[in-house]
Amino acid sequence: MLKIKILLLIFISSSSFSYAQNCNCESNYQWVKKTFEENDAGYQYIIDKKGISAYQAHNDDFLKKIKNAKSDTECTQTIYDWLTFFRSGHFSIRMIEKSNQQSQSQAPASTTNGKTETVTIDIDKFKKEIVSKKDSDIEGIWETEPYTIGIKKFGDVYKGFIIKSGAENWKPNDLKLIFSADRSKGAFYVRNKSGQEIKSIRLVGKNYLEINDFILRRVSPAFEKEEGIETHYEAIKAQKPFLKPLNKTTLLLRIPSFNGALKKDIDSVITANKSKIESTENLIIDIRYNGGGSDNSFAKIIPYLYTNPVRSVRTQFYSTKLNNQRMLDLYENYQKYGIPEDEREYLKKAYDKLSQNLGKYVSLQDDGSTVGINKMDEISPYPKNVGIIINNGNGSTAEEFLLVARQSKKVKLFGTTTAGVLDISNMYFVNSPCNEFKLGYSLSKSFRIPDMAIDGKGIQPDYFIDQSIPDYQWIDYVNNVLNEK
């Protein structure tokens, strides 16, 4: 991919800049508002789209909420909600943690005051009884790192209790979860013993139980593994990329993130399985919940998808003194950010060009073109067919990958519409004057706007997977489509 994209997807932070004010929620909000209005690359685009009167009404409404904020946590959430007027991603606001003190936004209040109810049950007897159980229902012994949990029905409620714990504050017989037999209400106690409301409970196959965002795997009683479901959870729970054969004609490549830190792992998986990829008819690439990272992370995949020249619409950077500081920081601290020395001068040229065009959108490409065309010398005969599994958890660089991949005649997208967080990008982070908040906003705007905007719309699949097909069957579904003769 183009050097400019690789370099500018490095997230860095700036120290705060001068802005005299008292430190309270309203003054911090006013600082966020002023900073965003003056520097965010997507601010004016949304004002032009929605209208200044709508923005003023939005501000009036939120100023009342800001003045009524009763805590730093509530203030942070209200400012975040104010920012959603502009887009659904590529912005952030968070409290800066003070030394020796966790920020309020990171420390939910405990509903148990650090104390936990215990479940009166003989654990050894329960283990023996559960082994002989024939029904694959919720009762049983389950694992979710770092706990082994027993779940048993007591009257009209299910109680989950600790059997074994890797957390020192959790002991055997401690109540870990409780919910009604009809699953309409319940609570799950997390590591610090604060309670979370149980909003969803789903038994998947015979061996997996989902409670909110937690995935529990059955330990006992033992039931035969269901390969499709096992593959689904292997993919969803993966922290690093992997490749595995599904059958003689199909490989599954799972990429949970394009984070720059995973580039070596992605490249390593591709290299280690080169002969398999180049001799197997079908390739499924599962990128569900891949929220992005660096364009360079998917560079090694593209040659296997390529069938014709790929057109990539470029970005333009909004030049302000604060925004341009990012480029100068990259130049002066290139070693810290892992930038090769031979690319350093490019950063200085970019900074100089931006500084000479304050208040303007600037293309940093030497040729001045709004589109880059990438042509490769060879077309790999295998894989012949590529199915990429997508969902609403895909944004940013993951969507950039899809814009490139779907130009191939080999590729079809399967799943649901993506998040739509791409047009306004390249985030920069700055501290508030009182060092209480860190604001993240964006520096660039795509030349796709307005003719092919992705933000707020997302990228649609070629094959929509509707709700009648549960998520744990998506890989099987794509596998069947690719292998259908």
Side-chain angles (χ1 to χ4, degrees):
M1 302 308 293
L2 296 173
K3 177 173 71 174
I4 181 68
K5 293 220 106 184
I6 296 169
L7 290 175
L8 297 182
L9 279 168
I10 300 172
F11 291 175
I12 62 175
S13 299
S14 166
S15 59
S16 58
F17 59 97
S18 177
Y19 184 78
Q21 63 174 324
N22 296 318
C23 297
N24 56 45
C25 187
E26 184 176 349
S27 61
N28 278 308
Y29 160 72
Q30 295 294 354
W31 169 78
V32 168
K33 181 174 178 292
K34 184 176 189 294
T35 304
F36 197 89
E37 288 175 346
E38 293 179 351
N39 298 281
D40 184 78
Y43 166 76
Q44 192 60 49
Y45 167 61
I46 293 300
I47 297 301
D48 293 342
K49 188 176 180 180
K50 292 187 175 183
I52 192 66
S53 59
Y55 180 52
Q56 289 171 343
H58 177 76
N59 293 340
D60 292 343
D61 180 42
F62 270 86
L63 185 56
K64 295 174 186 176
K65 296 178 181 179
I66 290 290
K67 289 181 176 180
N68 291 327
K70 294 179 174 59
S71 67
D72 289 339
T73 301
E74 186 178 350
C75 180
T76 306
Q77 184 62 51
T78 305
I79 294 175
Y80 177 89
D81 292 342
W82 175 83
L83 286 163
T84 61
F85 178 86
F86 298 97
R87 52 184 178 270
S88 60
H90 280 156
F91 66 82
S92 69
I93 183 72
R94 66 175 178 84
M95 291 288 295
I96 297 174
E97 293 185 12
K98 303 296 189 291
S99 58
N100 302 318
Q101 178 182 347
Q102 189 181 34
S103 72
Q104 292 185 38
S105 63
Q106 298 295 316
S110 173
T111 60
T112 62
N113 296 318
K115 298 179 182 179
T116 304
E117 177 187 338
T118 57
V119 178
T120 304
I121 189 170
D122 184 325
I123 290 178
D124 289 333
K125 183 179 178 182
F126 173 75
K127 287 180 178 179
K128 292 176 182 177
E129 291 175 348
I130 215 70
V131 167
S132 59
K133 186 176 173 66
K134 301 299 182 183
D135 299 327
S136 58
D137 56 17
I138 291 175
E139 283 194 326
I141 298 173
W142 305 84
E143 283 185 345
T144 181
E145 188 68 27
Y147 311 104
T148 301
I149 301 170
I151 299 180
K152 181 175 174 60
K153 191 176 183 182
F154 294 84
D156 60 353
V157 300
Y158 285 92
K159 292 184 179 181
F161 51 90
I162 294 294
I163 292 177
K164 184 179 179 181
S165 172
E168 291 183 0
N169 60 329
W170 284 94
K171 306 299 181 185
N173 290 97
D174 284 350
L175 179 70
K176 187 66 174 170
L177 58 95
I178 183 170
F179 56 89
S180 59
D182 63 3
R183 308 184 193 180
S184 63
K185 57 183 178 179
F188 192 107
Y189 299 97
V190 294
R191 186 171 294 208
N192 69 355
K193 300 196 173 181
S194 62
Q196 288 189 2
E197 178 187 358
I198 292 179
K199 297 181 179 179
S200 64
I201 300 173
R202 182 173 71 152
L203 183 65
V204 179
K206 296 179 179 180
N207 295 311
Y208 286 91
L209 179 64
E210 294 182 1
I211 300 178
N212 290 356
D213 294 329
F214 299 98
I215 299 172
L216 288 72
R217 183 183 62 84
R218 191 188 296 275
V219 176
S220 180
F223 295 107
E224 185 177 351
K225 288 184 177 180
E226 298 158 289
E227 282 304 319
I229 294 175
E230 291 292 329
T231 298
H232 165 75
Y233 281 107
E234 182 183 3
I236 292 301
K237 294 170 69 175
Q239 299 297 309
K240 291 190 175 183
F242 68 82
L243 185 140
K244 65 177 291 185
L246 296 180
N247 49 51
K248 291 181 180 180
T249 60
T250 310
L251 301 174
L252 171 67
L253 173 62
R254 169 61 173 160
I255 306 177
S257 172
F258 286 126
N259 189 306
L262 290 180
K263 173 178 166 49
K264 289 183 179 179
D265 296 294
I266 296 170
D267 290 354
S268 178
V269 168
I270 298 297
T271 300
N273 293 281
K274 184 176 184 291
S275 60
K276 288 182 181 178
I277 297 171
E278 293 179 354
S279 60
T280 304
E281 185 174 347
N282 303 316
L283 175 65
I284 297 174
I285 305 176
D286 185 352
I287 65 165
R288 284 177 290 176
Y289 302 106
N290 180 326
S294 168
D295 287 21
N296 201 30
S297 294
F298 61 73
K300 207 171 184 68
I301 303 170
I302 300 303
Y304 292 106
L305 312 184
Y306 180 85
T307 59
N308 45 272
V310 176
R311 296 173 61 86
S312 297
V313 180
R314 292 167 172 170
T315 58
Q316 50 191 331
F317 285 78
Y318 186 50
S319 174
T320 70
K321 287 185 178 181
L322 179 62
N323 292 356
N324 300 345
Q325 183 63 38
R326 174 185 188 255
M327 197 68 71
L328 189 61
D329 288 343
L330 287 171
Y331 170 74
E332 293 178 343
N333 301 290
Y334 70 100
Q335 292 177 315
K336 174 183 175 182
Y337 299 114
I339 297 170
E341 189 168 2
D342 60 356
E343 295 178 0
R344 190 180 180 217
E345 281 308 308
Y346 166 80
L347 296 170
K348 184 61 167 61
K349 284 175 60 179
Y351 172 74
D352 291 340
K353 185 175 183 179
L354 288 166
S355 297
Q356 292 165 11
N357 291 277
L358 289 174
K360 299 178 182 178
Y361 287 92
V362 181
S363 172
L364 298 179
Q365 303 294 335
D366 290 336
D367 61 10
S369 174
T370 62
V371 177
I373 300 175
N374 188 11
K375 186 175 182 179
M376 296 184 177
D377 295 331
E378 297 180 3
I379 297 175
S380 177
Y382 288 94
K384 291 183 178 180
N385 307 297
V386 180
I388 303 178
I389 307 180
I390 63 175
N391 67 3
N392 63 2
N394 297 133
S396 193
T397 295
E399 291 177 308
E400 186 69 36
F401 168 67
L402 296 176
L403 290 179
V404 173
R406 72 177 185 177
Q407 295 183 51
S408 168
K409 297 172 185 176
K410 295 181 178 183
V411 174
K412 295 294 183 183
L413 309 184
F414 294 77
T416 59
T417 305
T418 61
V421 186
L422 181 62
D423 301 331
I424 310 298
S425 59
N426 282 294
M427 287 184 68
Y428 189 37
F429 300 86
V430 292
N431 291 1
S432 66
C434 296
N435 268 344
E436 294 180 328
F437 287 90
K438 185 180 290 290
L439 168 67
Y441 67 94
S442 293
L443 305 179
S444 67
K445 181 173 69 170
S446 172
F447 282 111
R448 281 190 309 274
I449 295 175
D451 297 329
M452 192 184 166
I454 301 299
D455 286 8
K457 298 178 181 179
I459 296 172
Q460 293 192 338
D462 299 296
Y463 287 75
F464 168 52
I465 303 182
D466 61 81
Q467 293 186 7
S468 69
I469 302 173
D471 55 355
Y472 56 86
Q473 292 178 3
W474 282 22
I475 293 173
D476 286 342
Y477 172 78
V478 178
N479 188 13
N480 290 336
V481 171
L482 294 185
N483 284 284
E484 189 174 358
K485 302 299 183 183

